[in-house]
Amino acid sequence: MIFDRIKPLDAILATAEKKSLYRSLGAFQLTMLGVGAVIGTGIFVLTAAAAQKAGPGMMFSFVIAGFVCAVAALCYSELASMVPVSGSAYTYTYAVMGELLAWMVGWALILEYAVAASAVCVGWSGYVMGLVENLTGFTLPGALSSGPAWGFAGGIPSVDFSHGVVNLPAIIVAAVVTWLLVIGTSESASVNAVLVAIKVTALTAFIVLSFPILKGENFSPLMPTGLLGHDGLGVVGAAATIFFAYVGFDAVSTAAEETKNPQRNVPIGLLGSLAICTVFYFLVAAGVVGTVGAQPVRDAAGAVLPPDGAGFAARCAELAALGQAPIVCSDEALAETLRIIGFPVIGNLVGLAASIALPSVILMM
């Protein structure tokens, strides 16, 4: 059958030789490419959602997710070394499992990056509108600044439009990036390195300012929802959410055909970028927890509310009206943390850095 066809490795390599791309990337450029793809909405935005699921235990969620990605990265490293061509998982699957599974993997990758790009757009919206509000006092109506909340009524999925209808800024940035891609754009390794430097500088500033004022009591209880939890809560449940923060690490393997000595440099780029990002994620999470606390929001009965439910949105709105909204309710957790601990200007700069750098992630996705 047609879908049983396997493209031999020799044929893949021969095709790559005929249409080979210029090999110019070294280990450093690949590592920066990986860091640029990984550090995005995950650390700037998902910190709050992870804290709602696991409390201070979200620090370990970042480590768990990073370990799982590292195992996958070892597989990518081996395959990219054997098949140093573009195409990533699609090409590898085509060579080993056949055309049908390769077709499925290809569409799964497209879905992964489409969802990731959408989520980064939402994260960018939160940071930009938070920055605008802090500087000018202007706020968009709730109906235009966030999407609807999802929940269950009698076991049936339901949609609640009371807190939002559509995220207009997210749509605008998606449209602008799409327009750039339509008219044609090219990214160089040097431009990517500059954007990575902006993001890393923002995270480093956050760590340096937050660590001197950590409070031990903010880490207790360490795992308020447990290790495994239930209904997607707990440290492992938060790790499943945080895994999204590492989406894009495989972008390094897609550049194998443009890499000098891919057998050596691709593994360095994959594992090096993951190691850098995991360390940053852990330290930033510790900074948030230790300075302002990160205990989950609970309902009247004391149950922890899922961060994507209508009940959570309503409870956060109530606390915000009282001026008591915790960091788990924030759309811009890092910038808001810095404002709370007395560094509003630096907080705005971190928000600005996220606003500048996150569109580059959307472009890569």
Side-chain angles (χ1 to χ4, degrees), residues 183-217:
I183 65 174
T185 183
S186 61
E187 284 186 293
S188 67
S190 58
V191 171
N192 179 67
V194 171
L195 295 174
V196 170
I198 292 173
K199 289 186 279 192
V200 170
T201 300
L203 296 180
T204 302
F206 179 87
I207 294 168
V208 170
L209 293 175
S210 62
F211 263 58
I213 54 177
L214 296 184
K215 299 176 182 177
E217 59 267 23

Side-chain angles (χ1 to χ4, degrees), residues 142-157:
L144 298 177
S145 60
S146 62
W150 294 83
F152 289 89
I156 301 175

Side-chain angles (χ1 to χ4, degrees), residues 195-269:
L195 295 174
V196 170
I198 292 173
K199 289 186 279 192
V200 170
T201 300
L203 296 180
T204 302
F206 179 87
I207 294 168
V208 170
L209 293 175
S210 62
F211 263 58
I213 54 177
L214 296 184
K215 299 176 182 177
E217 59 267 23
N218 286 337
F219 291 89
S220 180
L222 186 60
M223 299 182 188
T225 54
L227 179 63
L228 299 178
H230 60 86
D231 298 330
L233 302 176
V235 172
V236 174
T241 298
I242 286 170
F243 187 84
F244 179 81
Y246 291 91
V247 166
F249 76 91
D250 55 324
V252 173
S253 69
T254 66
E257 195 171 336
E258 302 168 80
T259 301
K260 297 178 291 186
N261 191 5
Q263 286 77 13
R264 171 186 177 272
N265 291 331
V266 170
I268 292 175

Side-chain angles (χ1 to χ4, degrees), residues 17 33 45 78 94 106-108 121 135 162 165 175 243 247 262 308 355:
E17 283 295 324
L33 177 66
V45 180
E78 186 70 18
Y94 204 161
W107 278 108
C121 290
L135 293 176
S162 61
V165 177
F243 187 84
V247 166
D308 53 355
S355 303

Side-chain angles (χ1 to χ4, degrees), residues 122 142-153 156-167 305-317 331:
V122 173
L144 298 177
S145 60
S146 62
W150 294 83
F152 289 89
I156 301 175
S158 62
V159 184
D160 181 2
F161 291 99
S162 61
H163 299 286
V165 177
V166 63
N167 195 320
L305 296 165
D308 53 355
F312 175 75
R315 181 60 179 154
C316 283
D331 290 329

Side-chain angles (χ1 to χ4, degrees), residues 49-365:
Q52 177 60 20
K53 287 190 171 185
M58 68 168 174
M59 297 183 297
F60 306 113
S61 301
F62 279 110
V63 176
I64 292 172
F67 173 77
V68 173
C69 282
V71 175
L74 289 172
C75 298
Y76 270 102
S77 299
E78 186 70 18
L79 290 165
S81 299
M82 294 171 59
V83 192
V85 300
S86 59
S88 187
Y90 169 80
T91 302
Y92 310 149
T93 308
Y94 204 161
V96 178
M97 304 299 293
E99 191 170 2
L100 175 59
L101 280 177
W103 181 85
M104 295 171 65
V105 167
W107 278 108
L109 286 171
I110 290 173
L111 177 62
E112 170 193 338
Y113 285 117
V115 172
S118 301
V120 176
C121 290
V122 173
W124 180 87
S125 169
Y127 264 85
V128 167
M129 295 315 300
L131 185 64
V132 170
E133 180 181 357
N134 193 266
L135 293 176
T136 68
F138 172 78
T139 58
L140 271 178
L144 298 177
S145 60
S146 62
W150 294 83
F152 289 89
I156 301 175
S158 62
V159 184
D160 181 2
F161 291 99
S162 61
H163 299 286
V165 177
V166 63
N167 195 320
L168 185 59
I171 292 176
I172 291 174
V173 72
V176 169
V177 171
T178 302
W179 174 71
L180 287 173
L181 290 170
V182 168
I183 65 174
T185 183
S186 61
E187 284 186 293
S188 67
S190 58
V191 171
N192 179 67
V194 171
L195 295 174
V196 170
I198 292 173
K199 289 186 279 192
V200 170
T201 300
L203 296 180
T204 302
F206 179 87
I207 294 168
V208 170
L209 293 175
S210 62
F211 263 58
I213 54 177
L214 296 184
K215 299 176 182 177
E217 59 267 23
N218 286 337
F219 291 89
S220 180
L222 186 60
M223 299 182 188
T225 54
L227 179 63
L228 299 178
H230 60 86
D231 298 330
L233 302 176
V235 172
V236 174
T241 298
I242 286 170
F243 187 84
F244 179 81
Y246 291 91
V247 166
F249 76 91
D250 55 324
V252 173
S253 69
T254 66
E257 195 171 336
E258 302 168 80
T259 301
K260 297 178 291 186
N261 191 5
Q263 286 77 13
R264 171 186 177 272
N265 291 331
V266 170
I268 292 175
L270 278 166
L271 297 176
S273 59
L274 275 177
I276 291 171
C277 293
T278 301
V279 170
F280 266 110
Y281 285 0
F282 182 86
L283 294 178
V284 168
V288 172
V289 172
T291 52
V292 298
Q295 295 300 328
V297 169
R298 301 174 183 268
D299 60 16
V304 175
L305 296 165
D308 53 355
F312 175 75
R315 181 60 179 154
C316 283
E318 293 175 5
L319 293 172
L322 298 173
Q324 301 173 358
I327 202 66
V328 297
C329 292
S330 177
D331 290 329
E332 38 163 4
L334 304 192
E336 188 63 27
T337 297
L338 289 173
R339 294 179 189 128
I340 292 173
I341 63 177
F343 299 101
V345 175
I346 306 298
N348 289 337
L349 289 176
V350 167
L352 181 61
S355 303
I356 293 172
L358 287 182
S360 71
V361 181
I362 302 170
L363 195 67
M364 294 182 71
M365 298 300 177

